[in-house]
Amino acid sequence: MLAFVQAPPKKIRLYLIGDSTMANKIKQTFPETGWGMPLGTFFDSTVVIDNRAQNGRSTRTFLAENRWQPVVDALQEGDYVFIQFGHNDEAENYPDRYTPPADYRKNLIKFVTETQRKKANPVLLTPITRRKFDKDGHIMETHVAYSAVTVEVARQYKVPLIDLDKMSRELVQQFGVENSKLLYMQLAPGDHPNYPLGRNDNTHFTELGARKMAQLAVNEIEAQRLPLAERIAKPLPKNAVPPPAGKDAQPTTP
C-alpha cells in the first residue's frame, strides 16, 4: 500500500525582485509594508518566499549592484521569479536610478531569459499604481510607459503577466479618494511614533495596503491557472465554515 502513497510536492522558492513597494521593511519604518511581506501567508509550506527586492532600486541599479546574479546562481528547476520594477526606472529626477524605457526593456529581457535558462519560471508584474486622483476623483495612470514595456516583453517572450498597475488602480478607485489613504502611508502627526510629524506618501503601503496588493497577485495566479496556484494555502477546518455569530463570539485556537 505504501507504494501508492503520493509523495508531497517538493519545496520551491519564489524569488521577488523589485523595489520598495515589494521589499521587506525594518521595524523603524512600520507601518510601511512591502507587498512581498504578507505574500507568504497565501501559500502552503511548500513555497518559500525569498524577497530580494530593495528600496530605491531600478532594473539598472539592481543589476549594477550585483543583486541579480546571486538569484540566478541559486535558481533551481521549478522555482519562480516575480519581477516588478518601474517606480525608480521612470524617475528622471533621480539620475542615480533612472533607466530609459529601451534599457528597462533590455533588463527585463535579461531577467526573463536567464530565469528560463535555469528551467525556472519568470513572471512579469507591472508596477503598482501610485495614489493619484484627478479633480473629479478618478484614479490616474502613473506608470504608462513602463507598464506598456512590461506588457510588451511578457507578450513577446510568452511569459505570465500580472498587471498590478491596472488591478491596483481599480482597487484604489473602489476605495475612493479618502478611504484609499488607508492603503498608503498617509499618517497624521501622532499616528505612530516612527512618524511624529506624520507622513504624506502615495507610493508606499500600510499593512492593509500591502495585503490587498498581495491578494491581487494571488487572485491573478489563480485566474491564470499557473501551476503555483496548486500551492495556495488551504484553510483550517474551523475557517472553512461560517464564522460564529453573536456579540460574544471569539476566535478559537487551531
Side-chain angles (χ1 to χ4, degrees):
M1 293 295 291
L2 292 176
F4 296 97
V5 176
Q6 186 175 3
K10 73 167 189 174
K11 286 193 174 186
I12 61 169
R13 298 186 85 83
L14 169 50
Y15 291 90
L16 308 179
I17 65 169
D19 54 42
S20 58
T21 61
M22 178 190 261
N24 292 332
K25 308 295 178 178
I26 60 175
K27 69 178 184 178
Q28 289 85 355
T29 61
F30 184 86
E32 184 178 332
T33 308
W35 73 265
M37 296 173 69
L39 185 62
T41 65
F42 291 93
F43 293 98
D44 65 26
S45 60
T46 69
V47 177
V48 178
I49 303 293
D50 194 329
N51 192 348
R52 304 293 180 96
Q54 288 289 324
N55 290 4
R57 269 55 178 194
S58 61
T59 55
R60 177 173 62 82
T61 59
F62 199 86
L63 288 165
E65 294 173 3
N66 196 37
R67 296 181 181 277
W68 170 238
Q69 191 59 46
V71 175
V72 176
D73 293 341
L75 278 175
Q76 300 292 316
E77 182 176 353
D79 287 344
Y80 279 79
V81 182
F82 277 19
I83 304 158
Q84 184 222 274
F85 288 93
H87 281 85
N88 297 299
D89 294 84
E90 68 188 4
E92 294 186 58
N93 54 325
Y94 290 95
D96 63 320
R97 61 189 72 171
Y98 173 66
T99 311
D103 291 339
Y104 175 73
R105 183 179 186 278
K106 291 177 185 176
N107 295 339
L108 291 185
I109 292 170
K110 179 179 176 67
F111 296 142
V112 166
T113 56
E114 293 186 359
T115 298
Q116 290 173 326
R117 288 191 199 115
K118 296 297 291 280
K119 297 183 179 180
N121 304 289
V123 178
L124 285 169
L125 301 95
T126 53
I128 294 176
T129 190
R130 292 184 170 93
R131 179 183 168 275
K132 186 177 182 180
F133 290 89
D134 65 19
K135 62 182 178 59
D136 297 315
H138 299 131
I139 189 72
M140 301 172 67
E141 287 194 57
T142 55
H143 306 296
V144 177
Y146 288 78
S147 286
V149 171
T150 308
V151 172
E152 175 194 332
V153 172
R155 184 180 298 116
Q156 181 179 354
Y157 286 83
K158 297 179 172 58
V159 299
L161 171 78
I162 297 178
D163 195 351
L164 278 183
D165 187 359
K166 179 177 181 291
M167 291 188 294
S168 61
R169 274 187 280 118
E170 292 170 350
L171 175 68
V172 174
Q173 186 68 68
Q174 289 171 8
F175 269 71
V177 175
E178 286 303 314
N179 285 340
S180 62
K181 293 178 180 178
L182 299 171
L183 304 175
Y184 292 83
M185 286 290 289
Q186 291 282 332
L187 303 176
D191 277 354
H192 196 281
N194 281 342
Y195 302 91
L197 302 180
R199 186 77 167 174
N200 181 21
D201 183 340
N202 292 308
T203 297
H204 301 100
F205 311 117
T206 59
E207 291 175 291
L208 174 63
R211 180 169 59 81
K212 288 290 188 181
M213 301 308 167
Q215 181 70 69
L216 292 178
V218 172
N219 288 349
E220 194 63 11
I221 290 167
E222 288 189 292
Q224 295 188 29
R225 298 182 178 178
L226 301 184
L228 189 58
E230 298 174 4
R231 300 171 184 260
I232 291 174
K234 305 296 188 296
L236 294 171
K238 75 181 184 71
N239 294 336
V241 298
K247 65 177 182 178
D248 297 323
Q250 293 289 325
T252 58
T253 56

